[in-house]
Amino acid sequence: MVMDLPLTQVNIVHTSDIHSWYLGHQKDDDISKSWNADIGDVISFELGQDLFFVDTGDQTHGGGLSDAEESVPGAATLKIQAQMPYDVMTPGNHELEHPDIAKNLYNVIRDLGPEAHKYLASNVYINISHALHPLASQYRIWHPTWNNSGGQEVHGHKVTALGLMFDPKKRAAPGLIAVEPMESMVTQNWFQDIVLKSNPKMFLLVGHISLSDEGHPEQWRIVHQAIRKEYPFTPIFILAGHSHRRDCMLLDSENKLPGSDEQWPDRSIAIEASFLANEYHSDKGENNFPTDSGNRIVQQLRNLATTKALTTFYGCAPRTYAYDHATYSPDSESHALAFYMNEVVPEVILKKTNGELDPYVLLLNWGLMRGPIYQGRYTKDDKYVNMPKPDPFVYMKVPRLVAERVMAQLESDARAMDMNNDNDYNDASQRLQSNLTTTGADRRPHSIGRYVNQAALQEIVAEPALVPGYATLDRCLGKLGRGDDVLHFPALKIQLPPQYVQTTSQSFTSLGQHDLVDFVTTPYLKRRVLNAMNTIVKLHNEYTETVSDILAPVTEVLQYGDIDTTDAVAEYAERKWRKDC
């Protein structure tokens, strides 16, 4: 059963964290078919409707369309997305982490000409010729226009929009990108003299900031409170991103304006990312959907996929290796990360002497992998979906007594320092697992999207659903309600691996305490691993009783082999998987 979505005074279509999935899920399993809409279907649904169309960042990293570049990830896809009929777009941390991507985005925005006003970065600056300049426009103030059912142009009320970004700290491109704290941004002249004096009918705050990640809600509150002091009754709509889940949080107690008969939107509905759902809600009918505008954008993306040879075939995966819908264990035969560590890396990465693997420890973090490996054809696009950031493997040559203690030291460091919010995956496994066992009534924000406690959904899913999938609750007004336009049986339970995972060679346990071993990891973890190793070395040296047992600090990090993290499964597939699917 599909829920109708009647238009209200303010209607917003919100995309976020696309990560280059513009062509949608292209696998044949039932669940993937529920996500098979492409961006052209979304555009076709949006065009001609009385609504706002916004995107809250992280357009790059996640698939071959953006990542299979010879030069800069996203160089082509960001240009194509800039042509889409968005009212407001913002960057995400994936557009700001790497200097080449950030510079490319700056140039893409400049090339938009009169349309550059729709790309907002209110608190993001870029270093050009040793001076900081706004990455994009800092605000947009406009009267939106739409065509009504009779084809006549209708002018809407004034809207003021901002595009906001959380501070990624050490992950922003060093020396190039600067993110201004919200406390400082709201004191700037442009905010005080222009934004706060714009007198709009509504404010639209669009940003790559979560509603639930630690430290993020406070950033929204700072901006919300700065506006609310001047406009106590003007609606403020916040469209968030970054967390990859649908949240809702109320910063005002009422949605009905005091002293007014105007009722503002009271629903937050997740539209199923399928062709059929978008066609249904568009009211255009199968003969007029998708539209020519949507088809033109999709054709550009398909041409790009052809140019990048994304259908290049490596082999037939004999089974589906699950990722976030299965319990991880180091010896699992069906988990994608265990398969990667136990089968792929030993086959194509690790060094051998006389046919035997050299002694090693392999340590990775769960964020290295982004999704399952599906049974059937494994292609060039799939390898970027699974491993969107190609990195070489690196290693340190260390004694066994150091190597065997690194994992525990990393976990101890994480608990003691809480990783200083240093990365997207900060203790995320534990936090998300906690969400699974917490009732919706006990949590803020109200709705936790695909991570919602399954027991809370039983009343909603009393009706039979055709396909298992995610089921969410709409609690935007504190009222329990169905949060999805298409009802699914809530069969997908998110289960994430530990933050760090490790395997060792069979010969590892037979080594002496001072025998050397290859400690293999990735550049992303290099700094943490070195810090952990040298903490272990320092403690060992403090308590050793003989000079000959003193260990030198670990400083040398070398590249390990010539196959990177992304190419590893493709290489394995070519060697081990059959070619007839």
Side-chain angles (χ1 to χ4, degrees):
M1 182 177 72
V2 181
M3 177 190 294
D4 289 326
L5 302 176
L7 297 182
T8 61
Q9 278 189 286
V10 178
N11 308 280
I12 304 169
V13 171
H14 174 202
T15 60
S16 183
D17 297 272
I18 291 176
H19 288 290
S20 97
W21 282 70
Y22 300 102
L23 293 178
H25 284 249
Q26 300 175 61
K27 299 299 181 181
D28 294 329
D29 60 289
D30 287 341
I31 294 175
S32 292
K33 289 177 182 177
S34 296
W35 304 327
N36 68 357
D38 57 44
I39 195 66
D41 299 328
V42 180
I43 291 170
S44 300
F45 162 65
E46 185 275 338
L47 284 174
Q49 300 272 20
D50 181 16
L51 50 77
F52 296 95
F53 191 27
V54 304
D55 182 81
T56 52
D58 270 10
Q59 295 98 5
T60 55
H61 290 140
L65 281 172
S66 74
D67 302 338
E69 296 274 9
E70 294 183 0
S71 54
V72 182
T77 50
L78 287 174
K79 290 181 181 178
I80 295 174
Q81 183 162 352
Q83 302 171 33
M84 300 177 194
Y86 283 101
D87 294 292
V88 178
M89 301 170 64
T90 65
N93 56 289
H94 281 262
E95 284 75 63
L96 305 178
E97 291 173 358
H98 302 278
D100 290 343
I101 299 177
K103 290 176 184 177
N104 174 68
L105 175 60
Y106 177 71
N107 291 326
V108 167
I109 296 169
R110 293 181 66 191
D111 290 344
L112 285 173
E115 291 293 304
H117 59 258
K118 69 183 182 182
Y119 211 112
L120 303 183
S122 303
N123 64 323
V124 180
Y125 295 83
I126 186 169
N127 189 334
I128 303 295
S129 301
H130 307 290
L132 289 177
H133 299 268
L135 177 73
S137 299
Q138 292 177 301
Y139 55 86
R140 183 183 182 191
I141 303 171
W142 82 109
H143 290 267
T145 59
W146 294 281
N147 291 327
N148 63 19
S149 57
Q152 298 173 315
E153 188 174 79
V154 177
H155 293 267
H157 296 291
K158 182 191 285 188
V159 179
T160 297
L162 299 177
L164 305 171
M165 174 67 200
F166 78 92
D167 185 358
K169 295 183 170 59
K170 301 172 184 177
R171 303 190 69 206
L176 180 70
I177 294 295
V179 179
E180 185 176 21
M182 300 303 170
E183 298 93 332
S184 173
M185 186 198 76
V186 298
T187 67
Q188 298 300 319
N189 290 339
W190 65 266
F191 185 87
Q192 292 287 324
D193 298 339
I194 300 177
V195 171
L196 291 186
K197 294 181 180 179
S198 59
N199 195 29
K201 185 70 171 180
M202 59 173 274
F203 286 91
L204 193 61
L205 308 186
V206 179
H208 196 74
I209 306 174
S210 169
L211 292 178
S212 58
D213 287 1
E214 185 175 355
H216 285 218
E218 289 74 13
Q219 298 180 54
W220 285 118
R221 287 191 180 94
I222 290 168
V223 184
H224 177 271
Q225 290 171 2
I227 295 173
R228 187 55 77 219
K229 287 180 182 178
E230 298 294 326
Y231 296 90
F233 303 132
T234 301
I236 303 172
F237 294 97
I238 294 176
L239 288 306
H242 184 63
S243 64
H244 293 211
R245 59 185 181 270
R246 190 169 69 90
D247 290 335
C248 186
M249 179 171 62
L250 296 180
L251 297 180
D252 291 315
S253 59
E254 296 282 350
N255 76 312
K256 186 177 175 77
L257 305 183
S260 170
D261 291 330
E262 294 180 288
Q263 188 77 20
W264 293 90
D266 62 355
R267 297 304 305 272
S268 171
I269 298 297
I271 298 176
E272 182 181 76
S274 68
F275 172 86
L276 291 176
N278 280 272
E279 179 192 48
Y280 177 85
H281 294 307
S282 74
D283 289 330
K284 292 181 172 66
E286 61 182 32
N287 294 327
N288 298 308
F289 189 93
T291 62
D292 290 341
S293 297
N295 284 333
R296 281 195 296 272
I297 291 292
V298 169
Q299 191 57 54
Q300 290 185 60
L301 293 165
R302 288 175 178 162
N303 291 343
L304 181 62
T306 299
T307 300
K308 294 173 177 287
L310 295 186
T311 58
T312 299
F313 172 65
Y314 299 118
C316 303
R319 63 183 302 165
T320 292
Y321 296 93
Y323 180 62
D324 56 355
H325 299 147
T327 302
Y328 171 82
S329 65
D331 57 353
S332 172
E333 295 182 356
S334 60
H335 196 283
L337 190 53
F339 164 70
Y340 187 79
M341 299 186 71
N342 297 334
E343 300 292 335
V344 174
V345 174
E347 172 66 27
V348 304
I349 302 297
L350 297 177
K351 298 175 182 178
K352 298 178 181 179
T353 301
N354 298 323
E356 297 294 329
L357 289 170
D358 293 350
Y360 73 88
V361 173
L362 172 67
L363 184 140
L364 304 174
N365 69 311
W366 70 271
L368 175 77
M369 184 170 282
R370 288 298 184 102
I373 298 172
Y374 288 98
Q375 182 177 11
R377 293 177 59 84
Y378 188 82
T379 66
K380 183 177 180 180
D381 190 42
D382 291 321
K383 76 175 184 179
Y384 284 102
V385 168
N386 296 132
M387 301 277 189
K389 294 183 179 181
D391 277 323
F393 287 92
V394 297
Y395 78 109
M396 305 83 163
K397 203 81 166 178
V398 296
R400 173 191 165 179
L401 68 87
V402 173
E404 66 187 3
R405 298 175 186 174
V406 170
M407 179 84 147
Q409 185 63 47
L410 285 171
E411 292 172 342
S412 175
D413 291 344
R415 287 191 297 270
M417 300 177 62
D418 197 26
M419 300 305 295
N420 196 29
N421 293 321
D422 192 29
N423 64 86
D424 286 344
Y425 315 112
N426 176 26
D427 204 25
S429 177
Q430 288 80 359
R431 288 191 288 109
L432 296 182
Q433 296 299 343
S434 174
N435 286 349
L436 287 169
T437 58
T438 304
T439 64
D442 294 334
R443 296 193 71 248
R444 290 285 193 236
H446 300 294
S447 168
I448 56 175
R450 63 176 180 167
Y451 304 112
V452 73
N453 181 292
Q454 301 300 306
L457 293 169
Q458 296 312 306
E459 183 177 349
I460 292 179
V461 298
E463 303 176 52
L466 295 176
V467 178
Y470 295 123
T472 67
L473 303 176
D474 175 25
R475 286 182 174 268
C476 272
L477 293 181
K479 302 173 184 176
L480 180 64
R482 172 175 162 183
D484 307 283
D485 64 332
V486 178
L487 196 62
H488 292 114
F489 178 75
L492 299 181
K493 180 180 179 182
I494 298 297
Q495 303 176 77
L496 296 172
Q499 184 171 6
Y500 299 109
V501 290
Q502 175 178 291
T503 60
T504 63
S505 60
Q506 290 184 351
S507 60
F508 182 77
T509 56
S510 63
L511 297 175
Q513 287 292 296
H514 289 271
D515 288 342
L516 296 180
V517 60
D518 293 339
F519 195 100
V520 183
T521 187
T522 62
Y524 185 78
L525 296 177
K526 176 181 70 175
R527 176 174 56 86
R528 292 182 223 169
V529 169
L530 280 175
N531 288 342
M533 286 180 171
N534 285 309
T535 297
I536 295 165
V537 167
K538 181 180 178 181
L539 290 172
H540 170 83
N541 289 345
E542 288 178 358
Y543 290 97
T544 189
E545 297 180 355
T546 58
V547 174
S548 60
D549 282 343
I550 294 292
L551 299 176
V554 182
T555 58
E556 188 174 48
V557 182
L558 302 173
Q559 181 168 326
Y560 191 89
D562 56 5
I563 298 176
D564 64 36
T565 54
T566 297
D567 283 334
V569 177
E571 179 69 22
Y572 181 91
E574 289 191 311
R575 294 185 191 182
K576 307 288 284 187
W577 288 345
R578 61 189 178 87
K579 300 300 184 286
D580 54 324
C581 296

